[in-house]
Amino acid sequence: MSNPVLEAVEARADEIRALGPSNEALGRLDDQTAKILRDVGAIRMLQPKAYGGLELHPREFAETIMKIASLDGATGWVAGVVGIHPWEMAMADPRVQEEIWGEDPDTWIASPYAPMGLLKPVDGGYIFNGRWQFSSGTDHCRWIFLGGFLADGDGNRLNPPQSVHVILPRADYEIVEDSWDVVGLRGTGSKDIIVKDAFVPAHRVIDYAKVVDGSLAAESGLTNPAYHMPFSAAFPLGITAAVIGMCEGTLAHHLDYQRNRVQITGQAAKDDPYVLYAVGDAAAEIAASRAALLDNICQVYDMVAAGQEVSFARRAVGRRNQVAAAWRAVRAVDEVVARSGGNALRMDNPIQRFWRDVHTGLVHAIHVPGSVFHASALTDIGIEPPQGPMRSMI
Protein backbone atom coordinates (compact mmCIF):
# COMPACT_ATOMS: atom_id res chain seq x y z
CA MET A 1 0.00 0.00 0.00
CA SER A 2 1.37 3.39 -1.01
CA ASN A 3 1.87 5.94 1.76
CA PRO A 4 2.13 9.37 0.11
CA VAL A 5 3.24 11.16 3.27
CA LEU A 6 6.04 8.70 3.98
CA GLU A 7 7.20 8.98 0.38
CA ALA A 8 7.20 12.79 0.66
CA VAL A 9 9.15 12.63 3.93
CA GLU A 10 11.76 10.36 2.38
CA ALA A 11 12.14 12.77 -0.53
CA ARG A 12 12.93 15.60 1.91
CA ALA A 13 14.89 13.57 4.44
CA ASP A 14 18.11 15.53 4.01
CA GLU A 15 16.32 18.82 4.70
CA ILE A 16 14.61 17.49 7.83
CA ARG A 17 17.85 16.01 9.12
CA ALA A 18 19.82 19.20 8.51
CA LEU A 19 17.33 21.33 10.45
CA GLY A 20 17.76 19.35 13.68
CA PRO A 21 20.45 21.63 15.20
CA SER A 22 18.41 24.73 14.33
CA ASN A 23 15.31 23.33 16.04
CA GLU A 24 17.35 22.66 19.17
CA ALA A 25 19.00 26.10 19.15
CA LEU A 26 15.65 27.87 18.75
CA GLY A 27 13.92 25.81 21.44
CA ARG A 28 11.07 25.13 18.99
CA LEU A 29 10.70 23.87 15.45
CA ASP A 30 12.38 26.07 12.90
CA ASP A 31 9.77 27.72 10.66
CA GLN A 32 11.21 25.81 7.70
CA THR A 33 10.79 22.53 9.58
CA ALA A 34 7.14 23.32 10.22
CA LYS A 35 6.71 24.26 6.56
CA ILE A 36 8.09 20.90 5.47
CA LEU A 37 5.69 19.08 7.78
CA ARG A 38 2.82 21.05 6.24
CA ASP A 39 4.10 20.45 2.72
CA VAL A 40 4.26 16.66 3.16
CA GLY A 41 0.89 16.46 4.94
CA ALA A 42 2.31 15.03 8.16
CA ILE A 43 -0.36 16.56 10.40
CA ARG A 44 -3.24 15.62 8.09
CA MET A 45 -2.65 11.86 8.15
CA LEU A 46 -5.52 11.21 10.60
CA GLN A 47 -7.57 14.27 9.66
CA PRO A 48 -11.04 13.64 8.16
CA LYS A 49 -11.23 13.73 4.39
CA ALA A 50 -14.06 16.25 4.61
CA TYR A 51 -11.45 18.81 5.72
CA GLY A 52 -8.55 17.91 3.48
CA GLY A 53 -7.31 14.99 5.56
CA LEU A 54 -5.95 11.69 4.32
CA GLU A 55 -7.52 9.26 6.84
CA LEU A 56 -4.53 6.94 6.59
CA HIS A 57 -4.37 3.63 8.41
CA PRO A 58 -2.90 4.16 11.91
CA ARG A 59 -0.04 1.85 10.95
CA GLU A 60 0.88 4.25 8.15
CA PHE A 61 0.71 7.14 10.62
CA ALA A 62 3.09 5.35 13.02
CA GLU A 63 5.52 4.33 10.27
CA THR A 64 5.70 7.91 9.03
CA ILE A 65 6.28 9.32 12.52
CA MET A 66 9.09 6.79 13.03
CA LYS A 67 10.75 7.92 9.83
CA ILE A 68 10.51 11.62 10.69
CA ALA A 69 11.84 11.01 14.21
CA SER A 70 14.74 8.98 12.84
CA LEU A 71 15.80 12.14 10.98
CA ASP A 72 15.26 14.53 13.88
CA GLY A 73 13.74 13.71 17.24
CA ALA A 74 12.00 17.02 17.87
CA THR A 75 10.41 17.07 14.42
CA GLY A 76 9.15 13.51 14.83
CA TRP A 77 7.83 14.23 18.30
CA VAL A 78 5.82 17.27 17.19
CA ALA A 79 4.49 15.37 14.17
CA GLY A 80 3.43 12.51 16.46
CA VAL A 81 1.80 14.66 19.14
CA VAL A 82 0.18 17.33 16.98
CA GLY A 83 -0.62 14.71 14.36
CA ILE A 84 -2.94 12.76 16.68
CA HIS A 85 -5.13 15.77 17.46
CA PRO A 86 -7.09 15.68 14.17
CA TRP A 87 -8.11 12.14 15.16
CA GLU A 88 -10.07 13.48 18.13
CA MET A 89 -11.16 16.65 16.36
CA ALA A 90 -12.94 14.44 13.82
CA MET A 91 -15.35 13.52 16.65
CA ALA A 92 -15.94 17.10 17.80
CA ASP A 93 -18.95 19.26 17.08
CA PRO A 94 -19.08 20.17 13.35
CA ARG A 95 -19.17 23.85 14.30
CA VAL A 96 -15.71 23.77 15.86
CA GLN A 97 -14.33 21.67 13.01
CA GLU A 98 -15.49 24.40 10.62
CA GLU A 99 -14.00 27.10 12.85
CA ILE A 100 -10.61 25.38 12.78
CA TRP A 101 -10.36 23.88 9.30
CA GLY A 102 -12.99 25.72 7.29
CA GLU A 103 -10.58 28.24 5.79
CA ASP A 104 -7.30 26.37 6.22
CA PRO A 105 -7.11 22.57 6.50
CA ASP A 106 -3.45 22.93 7.50
CA THR A 107 -4.37 24.60 10.80
CA TRP A 108 -2.57 22.77 13.62
CA ILE A 109 -4.01 22.03 17.07
CA ALA A 110 -1.82 21.81 20.17
CA SER A 111 -2.51 20.23 23.59
CA PRO A 112 -1.88 19.04 26.54
CA TYR A 113 -4.73 16.88 27.74
CA ALA A 114 -3.68 16.84 31.41
CA PRO A 115 -6.73 18.02 33.42
CA MET A 116 -5.14 21.13 34.90
CA GLY A 117 -8.01 23.57 34.36
CA LEU A 118 -11.47 24.23 35.77
CA LEU A 119 -14.53 24.90 33.63
CA LYS A 120 -17.24 26.91 35.39
CA PRO A 121 -20.72 26.97 33.79
CA VAL A 122 -22.19 30.33 32.74
CA ASP A 123 -24.93 31.33 30.32
CA GLY A 124 -24.15 29.89 26.88
CA GLY A 125 -21.02 28.02 27.91
CA TYR A 126 -18.24 28.12 30.47
CA ILE A 127 -15.47 30.23 31.96
CA PHE A 128 -12.12 28.43 31.85
CA ASN A 129 -8.97 28.92 33.94
CA GLY A 130 -5.76 26.97 34.40
CA ARG A 131 -2.08 26.46 33.65
CA TRP A 132 -0.56 23.56 31.74
CA GLN A 133 2.95 22.35 30.95
CA PHE A 134 4.36 20.56 27.91
CA SER A 135 2.45 21.99 24.93
CA SER A 136 4.58 20.48 22.15
CA GLY A 137 4.81 22.40 18.88
CA THR A 138 2.56 25.07 20.31
CA ASP A 139 4.25 28.02 18.53
CA HIS A 140 3.06 26.63 15.21
CA CYS A 141 -0.53 25.92 16.30
CA ARG A 142 -3.54 28.24 16.13
CA TRP A 143 -5.90 26.17 18.30
CA ILE A 144 -5.44 23.95 21.33
CA PHE A 145 -6.96 21.03 23.23
CA LEU A 146 -6.69 21.50 27.01
CA GLY A 147 -7.71 19.06 29.70
CA GLY A 148 -9.84 20.16 32.60
CA PHE A 149 -12.57 19.31 35.08
CA LEU A 150 -16.10 20.59 35.21
CA ALA A 151 -16.90 22.84 38.16
CA ASP A 152 -20.16 23.88 39.78
CA GLY A 153 -21.58 27.40 39.71
CA ASP A 154 -19.28 28.40 42.56
CA GLY A 155 -16.18 27.21 40.72
CA ASN A 156 -15.63 24.07 42.80
CA ARG A 157 -14.72 20.84 41.02
CA LEU A 158 -17.57 18.39 40.73
CA ASN A 159 -17.45 15.26 42.85
CA PRO A 160 -17.09 12.71 41.39
CA PRO A 161 -14.82 14.49 38.94
CA GLN A 162 -15.91 14.87 35.31
CA SER A 163 -13.00 15.25 32.90
CA VAL A 164 -13.33 17.27 29.68
CA HIS A 165 -11.24 18.36 26.72
CA VAL A 166 -11.64 22.04 25.96
CA ILE A 167 -10.93 23.58 22.55
CA LEU A 168 -9.65 27.17 22.40
CA PRO A 169 -8.41 29.52 19.66
CA ARG A 170 -4.97 31.11 19.95
CA ALA A 171 -6.42 34.44 21.16
CA ASP A 172 -7.78 32.79 24.32
CA TYR A 173 -4.55 31.45 25.82
CA GLU A 174 -1.02 32.60 26.57
CA ILE A 175 2.13 30.72 25.59
CA VAL A 176 4.74 31.22 28.30
CA GLU A 177 8.06 31.96 26.64
CA ASP A 178 11.25 30.58 28.22
CA SER A 179 9.27 27.83 29.94
CA TRP A 180 10.93 25.00 27.99
CA ASP A 181 14.53 24.75 29.17
CA VAL A 182 15.27 21.02 29.23
CA VAL A 183 17.98 18.50 28.44
CA GLY A 184 16.30 16.76 25.51
CA LEU A 185 13.67 17.33 22.82
CA ARG A 186 14.52 21.01 23.12
CA GLY A 187 13.35 21.63 19.58
CA THR A 188 9.77 20.63 20.39
CA GLY A 189 9.09 23.96 22.09
CA SER A 190 6.84 22.23 24.64
CA LYS A 191 6.02 25.41 26.53
CA ASP A 192 3.58 26.25 29.31
CA ILE A 193 0.05 27.48 28.58
CA ILE A 194 -2.03 29.86 30.71
CA VAL A 195 -5.77 30.47 30.38
CA LYS A 196 -7.40 33.30 32.34
CA ASP A 197 -11.19 33.69 32.38
CA ALA A 198 -11.67 32.52 28.80
CA PHE A 199 -15.26 32.12 27.67
CA VAL A 200 -15.79 28.74 26.00
CA PRO A 201 -18.98 28.02 24.03
CA ALA A 202 -20.51 24.68 24.92
CA HIS A 203 -19.85 23.24 21.46
CA ARG A 204 -16.10 23.49 22.09
CA VAL A 205 -16.19 21.15 25.10
CA ILE A 206 -15.78 17.38 24.75
CA ASP A 207 -16.77 14.86 27.42
CA TYR A 208 -13.56 12.85 27.84
CA ALA A 209 -15.48 9.78 29.02
CA LYS A 210 -17.21 9.61 25.63
CA VAL A 211 -13.85 9.64 23.88
CA VAL A 212 -12.59 6.82 26.08
CA ASP A 213 -15.62 4.54 25.72
CA GLY A 214 -15.96 5.19 21.99
CA SER A 215 -19.47 6.60 22.15
CA LEU A 216 -18.42 10.00 20.80
CA ALA A 217 -17.15 8.46 17.54
CA ALA A 218 -20.42 6.56 17.20
CA GLU A 219 -22.52 9.67 17.88
CA SER A 220 -20.48 11.58 15.29
CA GLY A 221 -21.43 9.11 12.58
CA LEU A 222 -17.81 8.30 11.72
CA THR A 223 -17.39 5.11 9.70
CA ASN A 224 -13.60 4.84 9.38
CA PRO A 225 -12.50 2.23 11.96
CA ALA A 226 -9.51 4.39 12.90
CA TYR A 227 -11.81 6.82 14.72
CA HIS A 228 -13.36 3.99 16.74
CA MET A 229 -10.08 2.81 18.24
CA PRO A 230 -9.76 3.28 22.00
CA PHE A 231 -8.17 6.55 23.10
CA SER A 232 -5.56 4.49 24.97
CA ALA A 233 -4.50 2.91 21.68
CA ALA A 234 -4.61 6.03 19.49
CA PHE A 235 -3.20 8.71 21.80
CA PRO A 236 0.12 6.98 22.70
CA LEU A 237 0.76 5.88 19.12
CA GLY A 238 2.47 9.01 17.83
CA ILE A 239 4.47 9.47 21.03
CA THR A 240 5.85 5.94 21.19
CA ALA A 241 6.40 5.85 17.42
CA ALA A 242 8.49 9.00 17.79
CA VAL A 243 10.62 7.44 20.54
CA ILE A 244 11.22 4.27 18.53
CA GLY A 245 12.02 6.36 15.46
CA MET A 246 14.57 8.35 17.47
CA CYS A 247 16.14 5.06 18.55
CA GLU A 248 16.38 4.02 14.91
CA GLY A 249 18.02 7.36 14.17
CA THR A 250 20.52 6.91 17.01
CA LEU A 251 21.44 3.47 15.71
CA ALA A 252 21.88 4.82 12.18
CA HIS A 253 24.22 7.58 13.38
CA HIS A 254 26.13 5.07 15.52
CA LEU A 255 26.65 2.76 12.55
CA ASP A 256 27.80 5.62 10.38
CA TYR A 257 30.20 6.80 13.08
CA GLN A 258 31.63 3.35 13.81
CA ARG A 259 32.37 2.65 10.15
CA ASN A 260 35.67 4.53 10.26
CA ARG A 261 36.26 4.84 14.00
CA VAL A 262 39.54 3.61 15.46
CA GLN A 263 39.42 2.82 19.18
CA ILE A 264 42.05 3.88 21.69
CA THR A 265 43.50 0.36 21.49
CA GLY A 266 44.29 0.98 17.83
CA GLN A 267 41.70 -1.53 16.69
CA ALA A 268 39.09 -0.44 14.19
CA ALA A 269 35.61 -0.58 15.71
CA LYS A 270 34.39 -2.55 12.69
CA ASP A 271 36.89 -5.29 13.57
CA ASP A 272 35.89 -5.51 17.25
CA PRO A 273 33.54 -8.50 17.70
CA TYR A 274 32.20 -7.13 20.99
CA VAL A 275 31.17 -3.85 19.39
CA LEU A 276 29.55 -5.70 16.51
CA TYR A 277 27.69 -8.02 18.87
CA ALA A 278 26.29 -5.00 20.74
CA VAL A 279 25.23 -3.40 17.45
CA GLY A 280 23.49 -6.55 16.29
CA ASP A 281 21.73 -7.02 19.60
CA ALA A 282 20.58 -3.40 19.75
CA ALA A 283 19.35 -3.49 16.16
CA ALA A 284 17.29 -6.58 16.93
CA GLU A 285 15.78 -4.99 20.05
CA ILE A 286 14.83 -1.80 18.24
CA ALA A 287 13.34 -3.81 15.38
CA ALA A 288 11.34 -5.85 17.91
CA SER A 289 10.02 -2.65 19.47
CA ARG A 290 8.93 -1.37 16.09
CA ALA A 291 7.21 -4.64 15.24
CA ALA A 292 5.42 -4.81 18.60
CA LEU A 293 3.99 -1.30 18.29
CA LEU A 294 2.81 -1.79 14.72
CA ASP A 295 1.41 -5.25 15.37
CA ASN A 296 -0.56 -4.01 18.35
CA ILE A 297 -2.19 -1.09 16.54
CA CYS A 298 -3.05 -3.30 13.57
CA GLN A 299 -4.70 -5.85 15.85
CA VAL A 300 -6.77 -3.16 17.56
CA TYR A 301 -7.75 -1.63 14.22
CA ASP A 302 -8.79 -5.03 12.86
CA MET A 303 -10.88 -5.73 15.96
CA VAL A 304 -12.71 -2.45 15.64
CA ALA A 305 -13.17 -2.89 11.89
CA ALA A 306 -14.77 -6.28 12.60
CA GLY A 307 -17.19 -4.72 15.07
CA GLN A 308 -15.56 -6.33 18.09
CA GLU A 309 -15.30 -4.66 21.47
CA VAL A 310 -11.79 -3.86 22.67
CA SER A 311 -12.13 -4.98 26.28
CA PHE A 312 -10.29 -3.49 29.23
CA ALA A 313 -8.10 -6.60 29.37
CA ARG A 314 -7.14 -6.20 25.70
CA ARG A 315 -6.50 -2.48 26.16
CA ALA A 316 -4.24 -3.30 29.10
CA VAL A 317 -2.26 -5.76 26.97
CA GLY A 318 -1.93 -3.13 24.24
CA ARG A 319 -0.68 -0.50 26.66
CA ARG A 320 1.73 -2.99 28.22
CA ASN A 321 3.22 -3.82 24.83
CA GLN A 322 3.38 -0.17 23.80
CA VAL A 323 5.16 0.91 26.99
CA ALA A 324 7.53 -2.07 26.86
CA ALA A 325 8.39 -1.26 23.24
CA ALA A 326 9.57 2.22 24.19
CA TRP A 327 11.66 1.00 27.13
CA ARG A 328 13.20 -1.85 25.13
CA ALA A 329 14.26 0.47 22.33
CA VAL A 330 15.79 3.06 24.68
CA ARG A 331 17.73 0.38 26.58
CA ALA A 332 19.15 -0.74 23.24
CA VAL A 333 20.21 2.82 22.47
CA ASP A 334 22.07 3.01 25.77
CA GLU A 335 24.05 -0.09 24.81
CA VAL A 336 25.28 1.37 21.52
CA VAL A 337 25.88 4.90 22.82
CA ALA A 338 28.06 3.45 25.60
CA ARG A 339 30.16 1.91 22.82
CA SER A 340 30.30 4.97 20.60
CA GLY A 341 33.34 6.48 22.28
CA GLY A 342 33.78 9.81 24.00
CA ASN A 343 33.63 11.80 20.79
CA ALA A 344 30.01 10.74 20.35
CA LEU A 345 29.14 13.05 23.23
CA ARG A 346 30.55 16.16 21.64
CA MET A 347 27.81 18.68 20.96
CA ASP A 348 28.46 18.65 17.22
CA ASN A 349 27.83 14.90 17.05
CA PRO A 350 24.14 14.06 16.45
CA ILE A 351 24.45 10.86 18.51
CA GLN A 352 24.37 12.80 21.78
CA ARG A 353 21.30 14.82 20.69
CA PHE A 354 19.38 11.69 19.77
CA TRP A 355 20.47 10.06 23.05
CA ARG A 356 19.13 13.00 25.05
CA ASP A 357 15.95 13.08 23.01
CA VAL A 358 15.08 9.39 23.46
CA HIS A 359 15.45 9.64 27.22
CA THR A 360 13.31 12.76 27.36
CA GLY A 361 10.64 11.04 25.28
CA LEU A 362 10.69 8.03 27.57
CA VAL A 363 9.69 10.09 30.62
CA HIS A 364 6.35 11.12 29.10
CA ALA A 365 3.52 9.99 31.36
CA ILE A 366 2.27 7.59 28.69
CA HIS A 367 5.47 5.55 29.11
CA VAL A 368 5.30 5.07 32.90
CA PRO A 369 5.11 1.28 33.29
CA GLY A 370 4.07 0.78 36.92
CA SER A 371 0.28 0.86 36.94
CA VAL A 372 0.04 -0.33 33.32
CA PHE A 373 2.09 -3.46 33.97
CA HIS A 374 0.27 -4.04 37.26
CA ALA A 375 -3.17 -3.82 35.65
CA SER A 376 -2.11 -5.97 32.72
CA ALA A 377 -0.75 -8.67 35.04
CA LEU A 378 -3.99 -8.72 37.04
CA THR A 379 -6.09 -9.14 33.90
CA ASP A 380 -3.76 -11.89 32.69
CA ILE A 381 -4.55 -13.92 35.79
CA GLY A 382 -8.25 -13.15 35.57
CA ILE A 383 -8.57 -10.41 38.18
CA GLU A 384 -10.25 -7.12 37.30
CA PRO A 385 -8.13 -4.17 38.53
CA PRO A 386 -9.83 -1.80 40.97
CA GLN A 387 -11.20 1.55 39.87
CA GLY A 388 -8.85 4.48 40.18
CA PRO A 389 -5.33 5.43 39.05
CA MET A 390 -4.43 1.90 37.99
CA ARG A 391 -6.97 2.15 35.18
CA SER A 392 -6.51 5.83 34.29
CA MET A 393 -4.31 5.42 31.23
CA ILE A 394 -5.85 2.18 29.96
Side-chain angles (χ1 to χ4, degrees), residues 137-361:
T138 199
D139 289 294
H140 297 283
C141 299
R142 299 208 299 271
W143 287 75
I144 197 166
F145 274 116
L146 292 172
F149 289 110
L150 288 182
D152 59 23
D154 295 324
N156 300 310
R157 193 173 79 176
L158 298 181
N159 189 17
Q162 185 174 344
S163 182
V164 290
H165 290 167
V166 184
I167 306 164
L168 285 83
R170 179 65 187 85
D172 288 354
Y173 58 91
E174 173 191 352
I175 298 173
V176 182
E177 296 298 332
D178 301 322
S179 59
W180 183 241
D181 186 11
V182 289
V183 70
L185 291 176
R186 295 180 63 86
T188 64
S190 302
K191 301 174 183 178
D192 290 10
I193 300 296
I194 295 176
V195 175
K196 294 181 179 178
D197 294 328
F199 173 74
V200 184
H203 72 271
R204 294 187 193 158
V205 178
I206 291 176
D207 183 348
Y208 174 58
K210 287 190 172 185
V211 179
V212 171
D213 68 16
S215 60
L216 186 60
E219 291 175 6
S220 302
L222 297 165
T223 58
N224 187 327
Y227 298 122
H228 293 265
M229 294 188 306
F231 184 80
S232 61
F235 169 64
L237 185 60
I239 297 171
T240 304
V243 169
I244 293 172
M246 292 177 221
C247 292
E248 292 175 332
T250 313
L251 178 63
H253 282 293
H254 172 79
L255 293 172
D256 185 61
Y257 183 54
Q258 296 297 84
R259 187 174 293 111
N260 299 310
R261 176 173 166 250
V262 177
Q263 301 175 103
I264 196 170
T265 60
Q267 183 181 31
K270 65 182 177 63
D271 296 326
D272 186 333
Y274 304 107
V275 168
L276 297 182
Y277 175 89
V279 167
D281 186 57
E285 289 294 280
I286 294 170
S289 295
R290 178 189 185 93
L293 186 70
L294 296 178
D295 178 67
N296 180 68
I297 200 62
C298 287
Q299 286 190 31
V300 172
Y301 180 93
D302 289 346
M303 289 179 67
V304 173
Q308 300 173 14
E309 178 190 357
V310 186
S311 67
F312 178 85
R314 179 59 186 81
R315 298 199 307 272
V317 167
R319 284 281 285 120
R320 178 198 69 196
N321 292 347
Q322 168 252 320
V323 171
W327 281 78
R328 183 191 302 117
V330 173
R331 283 195 294 265
V333 160
D334 284 344
E335 290 297 319
V336 296
V337 171
R339 291 168 173 82
S340 290
N343 286 321
L345 299 181
R346 296 188 183 277
M347 295 305 288
D348 62 352
N349 191 319
I351 291 175
Q352 54 77 28
R353 188 177 77 248
F354 275 83
W355 181 56
R356 289 185 286 110
D357 287 351
V358 299
H359 280 278
T360 303

Side-chain angles (χ1 to χ4, degrees), residues 118-142:
L118 279 177
L119 203 62
K120 178 182 175 181
V122 295
D123 288 343
Y126 303 87
I127 295 296
F128 195 37
N129 284 280
R131 179 166 182 152
W132 296 257
Q133 295 179 311
F134 314 131
S135 184
S136 297
T138 199
D139 289 294
H140 297 283
C141 299
R142 299 208 299 271

Side-chain angles (χ1 to χ4, degrees), residues 48-109:
K49 289 181 179 179
Y51 284 102
L54 300 170
E55 293 192 24
L56 297 185
H57 192 290
R59 177 191 180 104
E60 296 174 298
F61 170 73
E63 289 173 332
T64 306
I65 298 305
M66 289 178 186
K67 180 60 181 181
I68 298 170
S70 75
L71 302 170
D72 175 59
T75 307
W77 182 270
V78 171
V81 172
V82 178
I84 201 66
H85 296 150
W87 174 84
E88 182 175 352
M89 186 55 66
M91 309 172 201
D93 190 295
R95 287 172 290 181
V96 72
Q97 292 183 39
E98 181 64 25
E99 288 171 330
I100 294 173
W101 291 321
E103 294 184 2
D104 183 4
D106 273 322
T107 299
W108 291 7
I109 310 160

